Amino acid sequence: MAYNRAILMGRITHDLELKTTASGISVCSFSIAVDRRFQTKGEEKKSDFFNIVTWRSNAEFVCRYFAKGRMILVEGELQTRSYVDKNGQNVRVVELVADQVCFTGEPKQQGSYSDGYSAPLPPEPPQQAASSQAPASDFTAADSDDDYPF
């Protein structure tokens, strides 16, 4: 049995374009830059670039709510494909076909994102007012930290 699942979080590297196949299916291809976790002291931060493809409602969602420079989380299956380019060279491409696309919780600043790019966001749920009620009576304070499993 084989398992093929990948989760990536990074910044979209170029403007998004929603395309439609001849059969009317929406598709959006883009790439993301994912920073490496570690860097050598004195060196610049390094990033890896990954090709992403989304289909149907996911493609429409990405093009509607994301933009170049925006942080995105994608989850899906890695696939390879080959083609012959205009110079007659065989090209092999590895891409993540995303079936889950999520916001990352990146903070919004006055209609734009902290990285200077803007895109519409869905309406945010109303904030709950701080409760002035007393704490629930069925909770008691622990006598020591020894009672916690962590």
Side-chain angles (χ1 to χ4, degrees):
M1 176 183 249
Y3 189 75
N4 180 355
R5 201 78 183 148
I7 301 171
L8 299 171
M9 185 172 79
R11 294 199 180 274
I12 298 171
T13 62
H14 57 76
D15 291 329
L16 300 171
E17 181 182 354
L18 184 65
K19 296 181 180 179
T20 306
T21 66
S23 58
I25 297 173
S26 299
V27 61
C28 179
S29 297
F30 57 97
S31 64
I32 61 173
V34 179
D35 291 338
R36 292 188 180 174
R37 290 179 41 191
F38 301 102
Q39 69 185 51
T40 305
K41 189 173 185 174
E43 286 187 3
E44 287 187 36
K45 188 185 302 185
K46 293 183 181 179
S47 298
D48 294 299
F49 296 83
F50 297 94
N51 297 320
I52 313 295
V53 177
T54 57
W55 294 89
R56 298 176 177 80
S57 60
N58 279 333
E60 294 166 9
F61 175 78
V62 167
C63 287
R64 183 172 183 182
Y65 294 111
F66 291 89
K68 178 182 176 181
R70 175 89 164 129
M71 186 72 75
I72 189 170
L73 186 136
V74 292
E75 180 178 349
E77 182 176 291
L78 288 171
Q79 294 184 359
T80 59
R81 62 182 171 87
S82 299
Y83 66 93
V84 178
D85 69 8
K86 60 184 176 187
N87 298 326
Q89 300 292 318
N90 288 327
V91 179
R92 184 171 178 216
V93 177
V94 177
E95 54 198 7
L96 185 130
V97 179
D99 54 33
Q100 297 286 322
V101 180
C102 303
F103 293 106
T104 62
E106 180 178 36
K108 185 175 88 166
Q109 294 179 349
Q110 298 179 351
S112 67
Y113 301 104
S114 58
D115 56 11
Y117 297 98
S118 63
L121 285 175
E124 294 181 17
Q127 296 292 326
Q128 296 285 336
S131 176
S132 60
Q133 296 178 351
S137 61
D138 58 344
F139 290 99
T140 59
D143 293 333
S144 72
D145 288 341
D146 295 337
D147 293 338
Y148 297 114
F150 47 90

